[in-house]
Amino acid sequence: GKGAAYNLAQDEAWTHEELIGGIAGMLGVEAALERRPREELVRASVFPACAPLANPWMSYLDPGLAARELGFRAGTFEEWLPGLVATAAARPAPEEFVEARARELALAKAPRASV
């Protein structure tokens, strides 16, 4: 017989700014964004870890078929983000994250390269 593949994914796309702002708000802190050219991020060994959604292989998984045929509805950003933040905040950060974050913070404090 003929089968079907279903994308069980959220039906919304959010930006890095929305994700970071949402997380910061839930943690009761103000988000601080530092924009640098990709080349500078690569030289500082923080890319791609600093922007996991900035991947050339990223794609949008359309959950429309699952919604129509299965009645699937993914939770919204506001519904699932609190659980994600609570789970992450309750666990110690992996050592590789701590090291990468230290490089990010050092880059954020460094003067901008002249163009």
Side-chain angles (χ1 to χ4, degrees), residues 8-84:
L8 303 181
Q10 64 194 47
D11 191 25
E12 59 185 349
W14 31 264
T15 65
H16 284 103
E17 290 81 4
E18 289 169 326
L19 177 62
I20 292 167
I23 292 171
M26 289 176 190
L27 294 174
V29 298
E30 186 175 331
L33 301 174
E34 177 73 18
R35 297 184 186 281
R36 300 285 178 122
R38 182 182 297 229
E39 298 77 25
E40 195 174 345
L41 301 175
V42 170
R43 276 194 310 276
S45 298
V46 299
F47 187 85
C50 69
L53 302 178
N55 180 319
W57 294 103
M58 289 299 296
S59 59
Y60 171 75
L61 299 176
D62 183 358
L65 185 62
R68 287 188 303 278
E69 293 189 5
L70 304 176
F72 174 77
R73 181 187 91 58
T76 65
F77 181 75
E78 291 79 14
E79 291 171 331
W80 59 257
L81 188 60
L84 177 71

